[in-house]
Amino acid sequence: MKDLQNIVLDLIEATKKHEQYRNKECINMIASEGTKSPAVCQMLDISHDLSTRYAEGDNNTEGHVKKRYYQGQKYSSQIEDHTTDAIKSLFHTTWADIRLISGTHANTATFKGLATASKNNKMIVTPLSCGAHISHDYTGLSGSILCLSNINHVYNINEFNIDTDKTAHVIRATKPGIVTFGGSLFLFPHPIKELKETCNEVGAYIAYDAAHVLGLIAGGQFQDPLREGADFITASTHKTFPGPQGGVIMGIPDTPTKEKAVRKIQHAVFPLTASSTHLGRLPALGIACLEMKLFGQELATQIVKNAQTAGQYLYENDVKVVAEHKGFTKSHQIALDIKTYGGGNKIAQDLEDANIILNKNLLPYDDQNDKENPTGLRVGFQDVTRHGMKEGDIKHLCDLMMDIIKGKRTPEQVKIDVMALKKEFSQVKYGFQSVEEALKYIKS
Ligand SMILES: *Cc1c(COP(=O)(O)O)cnc(C)c1O
């Protein structure tokens, strides 16, 4: 074992190397990773005291601070309230909880709260193999920690979506307390509108997991879950939504049933699952909300356009992109089936060797007992778009990817071009370059 000084020396060096590698030398296409603007980063940098503080306590049904257990909170309580108001304003909700430290935490509190409110622990989820997050699954948070009993949406593999009619039968037959929508491999809007009435019939709450698509929703370029009938949205604040890492729950509790649910969810936040709520991220989250209000529509439109452009271009060049008959995607991601080129493991590694970072992904029709050998890749376009890439740049990037996928050039050769491309797109667009710039904008 090395002594501690040397461990820390290595730690510092690895940290510096990581920042250089992933931020300066690699092109990021992992669909779950967002891009903070310089202003959001700067706000984090000036919130260090805040990130040492505690603020345990209760909130009211507007999401504002009601009671805190410690002294010294006159500004931190304001900061919580202002951040809550910022996100409520952006998403037009009357309630939000921003104390969640991640999307999984948001799901923990929401699933627990809704199961308690409905006195029913049956929850309908998309199958894991069809794009749900592990936190929805019986092998994950939902089953193993919350002990909810999962029932699957019927999924139509050809349509890459939930089968509305068959699922309606399942809902009527099983009478769940919660029906979830949303996912991690998430190409097309889920049928909330179509299933809303059936959920009402059996008294099920609808929870929509917007972790991946929150930024697209903010920009008005994906389904608007609360307007389509979802009772609550849970999300991460750092995927297509370009804030600091964290979580959020939102809703419009305009009925006694929903108000009861809010109280149960809040109880599941504190005291059940949160102590420190990581206050230091809140001011930065507020700035990200303003950026999305101002630039979100333009950003989200370009993200989806870029994803669709890549889908079409790769498809025309003999790479199998799933859901071709549906235009490949309506979100920030596409899914490639690269079985004929060597499978997800090999191609994801070759792309990494060329400094293009993405993840292999099991596709719905893959052998679910062979999770180690997925045929797919999931490709996200939110990061390259925020760095300013447009359709032409995306095609160039796809050419580099295809050099690897088809084995035309070695990863070492392609890496040189990837690093050059990254240099060209090193600035973050659709946001403020500093807190000062945001202030100037607000006051002008
Ligand atoms: C990423 C993700 C989560 C978990 O969010 P974290 O912020 O990583 O905890 C939850 N649900 C879905 C659908 C996700 O993709």
Side-chain angles (χ1 to χ4, degrees):
M1 184 78 176
K2 290 179 290 189
D3 66 26
L4 183 53
Q5 286 177 30
N6 281 312
I7 292 171
V8 173
L9 183 65
D10 289 348
L11 173 62
I12 293 169
E13 272 181 9
T15 305
K16 286 182 174 170
K17 280 182 186 158
H18 170 88
E19 295 292 320
Q20 172 72 18
Y21 168 59
R22 287 297 300 276
N23 194 30
K24 303 269 195 271
E25 297 174 358
C26 287
I27 288 186
N28 180 46
M29 307 192 84
I30 292 187
S32 59
E33 292 177 351
T35 320
K36 300 194 293 292
S37 72
V40 167
C41 293
Q42 198 184 9
M43 205 68 234
L44 284 170
D45 270 348
I46 59 177
S47 306
H48 287 300
D49 182 88
L50 195 59
S51 70
T52 65
R53 302 302 165 197
Y54 272 84
E56 293 179 332
D58 301 324
N59 289 359
N60 64 24
T61 47
E62 290 173 1
H64 291 151
V65 171
K66 186 162 87 183
K67 177 180 174 195
R68 289 292 179 264
Y69 289 97
Y70 301 153
Q71 301 311 121
Q73 314 234 338
K74 60 181 164 190
Y75 297 116
S76 58
S77 289
Q78 285 180 21
I79 289 166
E80 283 198 60
D81 287 352
H82 294 326
T83 309
T84 302
D85 287 342
I87 206 149
K88 277 164 59 179
S89 164
L90 181 64
F91 289 97
H92 310 289
T93 70
T94 57
W95 172 72
D97 202 318
I98 40 81
R99 293 174 295 172
L100 301 310
I101 61 170
S102 77
T104 300
H105 185 196
N107 282 349
T108 309
T110 303
F111 298 165
K112 176 68 185 171
L114 295 182
T116 310
S118 63
K119 297 197 178 70
N120 180 339
N121 75 346
K122 284 182 282 188
M123 179 163 91
I124 298 214
V125 299
T126 303
L128 201 54
S129 60
C130 301
H133 188 252
I134 179 75
S135 59
H136 305 178
D137 198 61
Y138 72 96
T139 60
L141 164 71
S142 154
S144 297
I145 294 179
L146 297 176
C147 299
L148 300 179
S149 132
N150 279 10
I151 301 148
N152 281 342
H153 279 295
V154 180
Y155 197 81
N156 182 330
I157 288 180
N158 291 323
E159 294 298 306
F160 277 83
N161 211 329
I162 292 161
D163 184 314
T164 309
D165 292 339
K166 290 184 180 150
T167 293
H169 286 300
V170 172
I171 294 172
R172 285 199 190 95
T174 58
K175 298 189 173 40
I178 310 167
V179 173
T180 67
F181 294 98
S184 304
L185 178 65
F186 197 14
L187 304 176
F188 302 104
H190 278 171
I192 312 168
K193 260 193 298 222
E194 292 80 351
L195 289 168
K196 170 72 181 164
E197 227 177 273
T198 317
C199 294
N200 283 350
E201 270 172 45
V202 303
Y205 287 107
I206 298 181
Y208 183 98
D209 186 338
H212 262 267
V213 293
L214 191 68
L216 304 180
I217 294 170
Q221 302 306 307
F222 205 67
Q223 65 189 151
D224 188 342
L226 291 173
R227 255 50 64 175
E228 291 185 13
D231 297 308
F232 296 99
I233 295 183
T234 65
S236 310
T237 55
H238 53 265
K239 292 185 180 180
T240 53
F241 196 89
Q245 286 179 321
V248 64
I249 311 169
M250 287 180 273
I252 304 171
D254 51 6
T255 63
T257 327
K258 285 194 228 176
E259 233 176 75
K260 178 170 92 182
V262 164
R263 283 194 298 272
K264 300 297 183 193
I265 292 171
Q266 286 176 322
H267 182 71
V269 176
F270 180 83
L272 294 192
T273 63
S275 178
S276 166
T277 53
H278 299 195
L279 297 163
R281 68 198 158 79
L282 298 185
L285 178 57
I287 299 247
C289 286
L290 178 60
E291 289 179 332
M292 289 309 276
K293 180 170 176 74
L294 300 175
F295 314 112
Q297 184 180 1
E298 199 189 342
L299 172 60
T301 304
Q302 190 64 48
I303 289 172
V304 177
K305 215 186 277 178
N306 283 347
Q308 290 170 343
T309 299
Q312 182 66 32
Y313 189 69
L314 291 165
Y315 181 78
E316 282 167 7
N317 286 281
D318 301 320
V319 176
K320 186 172 169 193
V321 186
V322 307
E324 174 257 333
H325 68 296
K326 300 191 66 182
F328 308 105
T329 186
K330 288 198 185 308
S331 76
H332 60 298
Q333 0 167 319
I334 57 174
L336 313 184
D337 177 338
I338 34 126
K339 189 173 179 181
T340 52
Y341 295 109
N345 280 330
K346 176 183 187 303
I347 301 300
Q349 184 60 52
D350 286 353
L351 286 166
E352 180 188 303
D353 293 341
N355 282 19
I356 295 173
I357 310 295
L358 44 63
N359 60 276
K360 59 183 180 239
N361 216 98
L362 219 59
L363 297 176
Y365 50 78
D366 281 351
D367 178 1
Q368 303 299 319
N369 296 318
D370 193 13
K371 291 201 167 58
E372 297 306 307
N373 285 303
T375 61
L377 294 179
R378 189 183 63 170
V379 196
F381 292 85
Q382 71 293 343
D383 191 34
V384 290
T385 307
R386 204 167 197 222
H387 281 95
M389 286 198 189
K390 298 272 167 66
E391 292 93 314
D393 315 307
I394 293 295
K395 286 182 185 171
H396 176 50
L397 176 56
C398 286
D399 282 330
L400 297 178
M401 291 171 73
M402 285 191 288
D403 284 351
I404 300 287
I405 292 172
K406 298 178 180 178
K408 286 187 193 160
R409 293 198 289 158
T410 65
E412 292 69 32
Q413 290 167 330
V414 176
K415 180 173 163 179
I416 295 163
D417 295 345
V418 171
M419 286 174 68
L421 188 62
K422 175 69 190 188
K423 233 186 194 146
E424 217 182 301
F425 292 95
S426 58
Q427 266 219 334
V428 176
K429 315 282 188 191
Y430 310 92
F432 295 115
Q433 298 306 308
S434 65
V435 175
E436 201 52 42
E437 194 184 299
L439 279 174
K440 244 191 231 152
Y441 175 87
I442 294 164
K443 289 176 176 166
S444 71

